[in-house]
Amino acid sequence: MSHWLPVLVNTPAHAALGPVLTYQSEQPLPAGTLVRVPLGSRETLGVVWDNTGTEATGEFDPSKVRAIAGALEGIAPLSAQWQQLLTFTASYYQRSAGEVALAALPPQLRELSPEQMARRLKRKKPVEGATGAVLAVPVLTPEQATVIGQIDSHPGPFLLFGATGSGKTEVYLHCVHKLLAAAPDAQALIMVPEINLTPQLEERFKARFAPLYGEEAVVSLHSGMTNPQRLKSWLAAHGGAARIVLGTRMAVFASLPKLRLIVVDEEHDPSYKSSEGARYSARDLAIYRGKLEGAQVILGSATPSLESWHHSRPAGEGGRYLRLHMPSRVGESSKLPLVRRVDMNHQPRKAVFSLPLIDAIKERVARGEQVMVFLNRRGYAPVLACDDCGWKSECPHCSAFRVFHKIDRTLRCHHCGFTERVPRACPDCGNVDIAPIGRGTEQLEEHLAELLVDVKRAGSVTPQNPRGEHLRIARIDADTTRLKGELESQLAAVHAGDVDVLVGTQMIAKGHDFRRITLVAAVNPDNALFSSDFRAPERLFSLLMQAAGRAGRDASLGAQSEVWIQTFQPTHPLYAALKKHDYPAFAEQQLKEREQAAMPPFSAQALVRADAKTQEAAQAFLNAARTFAQTEMLEWEGWAPLLDQITLYPAVPMTIQRVANVERAQMLIESPSRAALQQFLNGWQSVLHATRGQPECKGLIRWAIDVDPLAI
Ligand code: ADP
Ligand code: ZN
Ligand code: ZN
């Protein structure tokens, strides 16, 4: 007796096959079972799908139905909630369910043979003892106690708005502790933006919970892991042995049958939004998943996203999250740092460092304290130019300049990677005096070395600094941390006190707990004030607050810590709010502007991006689909009132219009109603597919929809 099984496989949404295919099986298999199935000439991984509510399989010819190759033995079916999460993700972000679901599973489930998999599952786990020895768990501060009381007595979701160092992590630890102690099988998911940048968090969770529940109880899940490691963590979570999963955005899809708590730390961080495949927001999905699974959700940040801030306004005003507040840093003297603005209009023209900043840096390092200087641009200079003829170091493949890297004398394109040695003379006129314009971190490092050459270092002799006198300047950015392990070793050097001045990009502003840094300087942060991206001020504010959070983490030094902002706009309201550490004031002002302009969170947006061989083709494709929506779709029964709520803007070239010889264009779609936008996109997908074949779109390479885009 054979059974028809709907099986979800990874076929692109626009292929002729639907994502749910029908197979035949000798045994009935429950939905969620992982199976191997033949697809064309290969064998692939699929998930038995409950196709009520997903795209119907449609009619099929029973004589052509193939049999499944086998089920993955020993792995319990994925839960109905997991399937629903994936179905929702696919539909909300306009991708195929097969693509999204299969990408959410560890790659080795696809790659291992049945025998290999059986061996992997049988591998005996070492029984690593829970020693039961609880650590010194700190006594809660009054603010922490209040917040935990609120979490205990309210279903959430919560937005934990707490200053850097206010003890948010301790709140998460406490909530997890309570949960695991109360329910013997409950699981918690802790999400962080980038695990490399927050090794301390992982350590703190391991230190707190491994003694209680064994080493197996805390697992990580992120893309930096090898495939065998990922499979191991995934199986531990799926089987219930892992009680706590720590991971990056991909972890939102981890199979956790007894999930009861989700924490999204640094919830404002843009890296929670995926920028390829399904462009999902793990933060937003965490909220959805919490509701689905009956799990509490805590979003935490010192500078929440304006979306979350808006959602956590008082319930009487329509807020959906409960906002919890921890304004003070833990510890007696660990006050928030003093923010100083340096008016660069009164400094020598072209000065990289203002005179008072140089003095302040010298003073700090001479006292044995650490200084952090950051600039969001790597390389030596963003452009190399000829003064005589106007030649500039443009990339031949992109509409962007190649960046000058002095260290190996190259011009590198940061978009396509194209690299050449710096020419001896101007390629156009032969002038030998080609010069860098602007500056990057490499130049700052060089400059600081010159400025501080006479400064002696205070403090102890270390192996790196045997005579105990030379200052050490270190740089951390994508260039100095390319190789595996380099970031870790550089960070370790900073922690060990072997570095006096740390120069870097935003990489160093996030997360790290550098205890001896007492001065943080932002050299040139003004650009974001004039960006065409309406989210740029929000990102700048949070970056500067984060950077400020690096200063004065050590209570014994905290009283004198400072943040310096070099700016040509010293009276700008953003910096004024920053000076007062007043995120709420900044958020109110930004939200007012957004409301007036009907921008998110007061409207819903989607972006369609098209890549093509010519800019004309990319735009023609988008504009043809737009025209269709504005004419033909209006005639579809019942669509006129819906289209009334949708604004389709004309196609425009992207800011960096050409990358690696591909022309890029985009089109913004806006609606006051999220539901209307969703409904429109669902219907319009087929239009995009059909438009692709039109003659004026010849040369179109690909297109993709980004729902709730973060960068426009
Ligand atoms: P956040 O996550 O808000 O930046 P953390 O939880 O990392 O803050 O706390 C900052 C510092 O204060 C850490 O070193 C932490 O160990 C310490 N800390 C947190 N809560 C307490 C407490 N209740 N008593 C003593 N120290 C605490
Ligand atoms: Zn020239
Ligand atoms: Zn390029």
Side-chain angles (χ1 to χ4, degrees):
M1 157 87 179
S2 74
H3 302 263
W4 303 127
L5 283 186
V7 176
L8 188 73
V9 291
N10 183 8
T11 57
H14 43 277
L17 304 167
V20 181
L21 303 180
T22 303
Y23 286 88
Q24 186 197 335
S25 162
E26 292 307 311
Q27 274 108 37
L29 292 172
T33 306
L34 291 163
V35 287
R36 285 196 191 77
V37 293
L39 184 72
S41 58
R42 62 198 173 95
E43 203 173 282
T44 186
L45 182 70
V47 187
V48 179
W49 212 247
D50 169 18
N51 67 350
T52 49
T54 65
E55 257 165 272
T57 46
E59 316 240 310
F60 61 91
D61 178 352
S63 67
K64 289 202 179 128
V65 170
R66 301 166 77 178
I68 64 163
L72 269 67
E73 302 283 336
I75 302 179
L78 293 153
S79 69
Q81 288 91 331
W82 189 89
Q83 295 171 60
Q84 202 177 328
L85 172 68
L86 275 294
T87 304
F88 171 80
T89 305
S91 128
Y92 187 83
Y93 293 104
Q94 305 291 322
R95 307 293 288 204
S96 88
E99 177 199 1
V100 178
L102 276 299
L105 295 169
Q108 281 208 325
L109 284 182
R110 286 192 287 275
E111 294 158 4
L112 296 185
S113 70
E115 298 73 35
Q116 288 171 315
M117 187 57 97
R119 249 179 281 140
R120 193 62 64 86
L121 286 167
K122 235 191 277 161
R123 204 172 281 174
K124 206 71 196 120
K125 288 160 201 139
V127 189
E128 277 177 89
T131 58
V134 187
L135 293 124
V137 176
V139 179
L140 296 175
T141 65
E143 283 181 6
Q144 287 170 328
T146 305
V147 156
I148 287 167
Q150 288 173 289
I151 295 174
D152 283 344
S153 55
H154 193 280
F158 304 97
L159 175 66
L160 176 53
F161 168 51
T164 43
S166 64
K168 294 185 292 298
T169 310
E170 199 53 51
V171 170
Y172 310 149
L173 288 161
H174 189 93
C175 293
V176 171
H177 190 213
K178 216 191 246 169
L179 171 75
L180 300 197
D185 52 3
Q187 294 176 303
L189 169 63
I190 315 295
M191 293 206 284
V192 292
E194 280 163 89
I195 245 160
N196 285 341
L197 300 181
T198 45
Q200 288 132 340
L201 188 83
E202 204 174 349
E203 277 162 31
R204 276 169 81 177
F205 272 85
K206 292 221 156 112
R208 185 72 58 93
F209 296 106
L212 292 174
Y213 301 102
E215 295 288 335
E216 279 279 312
V218 188
V219 302
S220 303
L221 213 48
H222 57 89
S223 56
M225 293 163 69
T226 64
N227 284 349
Q229 287 171 329
R230 250 172 92 176
L231 179 65
K232 192 173 167 218
S233 291
W234 189 88
L235 288 171
H238 180 63
R243 308 288 304 279
I244 300 165
V245 172
L246 285 171
T248 51
R249 64 167 181 257
M250 60 149 70
V252 77
F253 298 121
S255 168
L256 290 153
K258 290 284 157 61
L259 182 60
R260 294 293 170 266
L261 173 67
I262 307 177
V263 171
V264 184
D265 192 27
E266 310 288 4
E267 66 88 29
H268 62 277
D269 199 292
S271 61
Y272 282 120
K273 179 94 159 95
S274 169
S275 55
E276 56 198 28
R279 284 145 172 86
Y280 65 88
S281 156
R283 180 208 46 225
D284 296 351
L285 288 179
I287 297 283
Y288 178 84
R289 188 169 187 184
K291 209 185 286 167
L292 199 63
E293 312 241 17
Q296 262 189 334
V297 181
I298 305 173
L299 311 180
S301 178
T303 52
S305 63
L306 289 174
E307 280 79 3
S308 298
W309 189 253
H310 183 63
H311 292 324
S312 65
R313 66 199 184 279
E317 295 165 25
R320 297 184 277 123
Y321 307 167
L322 185 65
R323 191 184 296 165
L324 313 171
H325 196 190
M326 299 206 301
S328 332
R329 279 184 162 185
V330 177
E332 289 147 48
S333 61
S334 52
K335 287 201 217 80
L336 289 167
L338 176 70
V339 177
R340 316 179 74 133
R341 291 159 291 183
V342 183
D343 186 348
M344 294 304 276
N345 297 300
H346 300 313
Q347 292 296 320
R349 231 173 71 82
K350 291 193 170 179
V352 182
F353 294 101
S354 59
L355 298 172
L357 178 59
I358 296 168
D359 288 341
I361 293 176
K362 286 181 177 169
E363 197 183 302
R364 301 275 159 170
V365 293
R367 281 211 300 263
E369 297 168 16
Q370 290 172 310
V371 171
M372 183 172 111
V373 177
F374 93 98
L375 174 68
N376 240 347
R377 185 178 266 158
R378 65 195 169 87
Y380 189 87
V383 192
L384 208 59
C386 167
D387 245 1
D388 279 3
C389 76
W391 172 87
K392 283 189 175 139
S393 57
E394 256 168 290
C395 174
H397 310 295
C398 305
S399 47
F401 294 114
R402 278 176 297 164
V403 175
F404 172 41
H405 288 255
K406 193 173 178 184
I407 207 156
D408 54 1
R409 299 207 61 81
T410 54
L411 291 176
R412 285 189 223 161
C413 176
H414 287 186
H415 302 282
C416 73
F418 181 67
T419 302
E420 276 182 334
R421 294 204 38 93
V422 171
R424 273 174 212 291
C426 169
D428 284 0
C429 74
N431 170 22
V432 288
D433 243 1
I434 44 178
I437 303 181
R439 53 191 159 267
T441 46
E442 213 185 301
Q443 195 176 148
L444 284 194
E445 185 188 14
E446 182 184 278
H447 217 74
L448 277 168
E450 287 162 13
L451 287 171
L452 301 176
V453 69
D454 294 330
V455 182
K456 296 271 185 272
R457 156 199 252 262
S460 59
V461 173
T462 68
Q464 282 78 8
N465 195 26
R467 290 189 297 144
E469 52 192 34
H470 296 293
L471 283 189
R472 205 180 138 195
I473 301 172
R475 171 163 60 93
I476 296 188
D477 56 29
D479 294 316
T480 65
T481 55
R482 206 157 296 229
L483 301 178
K484 202 172 160 61
E486 273 181 330
L487 177 62
E488 290 75 7
S489 66
Q490 295 215 43
L491 292 176
V494 182
H495 285 293
D498 295 331
V499 171
D500 302 285
V501 181
L502 177 62
V503 180
T505 53
Q506 62 173 351
M507 267 174 104
I508 57 171
K510 287 186 186 181
H512 308 286
D513 193 356
F514 297 131
R515 307 213 68 95
R516 284 181 50 236
I517 288 183
T518 63
L519 192 156
V520 172
V523 176
N524 181 21
D526 282 349
N527 285 348
L529 302 177
F530 311 105
S531 166
S532 59
D533 184 342
F534 70 88
R535 282 195 174 82
E538 178 184 354
R539 276 199 294 271
L540 175 64
F541 191 88
S542 84
L543 191 65
L544 293 176
M545 280 282 270
Q546 289 261 317
R550 301 308 106 217
R553 303 280 283 195
D554 190 328
S556 66
L557 301 166
Q560 325 105 35
S561 67
E562 290 179 355
V563 175
W564 289 56
I565 311 280
Q566 296 196 140
T567 173
F568 288 96
Q569 308 285 326
T571 59
H572 195 283
L574 188 150
Y575 296 135
L578 189 79
K579 184 165 177 59
K580 290 190 250 155
H581 299 278
D582 194 350
Y583 171 80
F586 169 74
E588 284 322 312
Q589 173 264 328
Q590 284 285 309
L591 282 171
K592 210 171 277 163
E593 280 180 22
R594 298 244 190 125
E595 187 166 23
Q596 277 160 6
M599 280 180 187
F602 302 96
S603 66
Q605 293 182 330
L607 205 59
V608 199
R609 265 192 50 182
D611 288 357
K613 291 196 184 118
T614 63
Q615 185 60 225
E616 292 71 37
Q619 291 193 25
F621 165 74
L622 296 172
N623 285 329
R626 171 173 183 256
T627 306
F628 191 95
Q630 292 169 336
T631 54
E632 314 270 325
M633 273 173 92
L634 269 181
E635 309 292 318
W636 292 4
E637 208 185 319
W639 275 68
L642 175 70
L643 284 164
D644 229 25
Q645 300 181 62
I646 306 290
T647 309
L648 291 136
Y649 292 91
V652 291
M654 291 186 56
T655 318
I656 297 168
Q657 157 173 354
R658 186 168 48 102
V659 168
N661 297 321
V662 170
E663 289 285 340
R664 315 182 313 158
Q666 67 178 34
M667 186 160 115
L668 181 66
I669 307 163
E670 223 170 52
S671 173
S673 152
R674 186 171 298 274
L677 182 65
Q678 276 290 313
Q679 208 183 331
F680 168 74
L681 291 175
N682 285 335
W684 196 50
Q685 274 263 13
S686 61
V687 174
L688 287 164
H689 289 301
T691 306
R692 179 172 197 150
Q694 294 190 3
E696 72 263 34
C697 307
K698 197 162 172 290
L700 182 75
I701 299 166
R702 64 182 88 84
W703 56 271
I705 298 180
D706 187 347
V707 180
D708 305 330
L710 277 191
I712 291 176

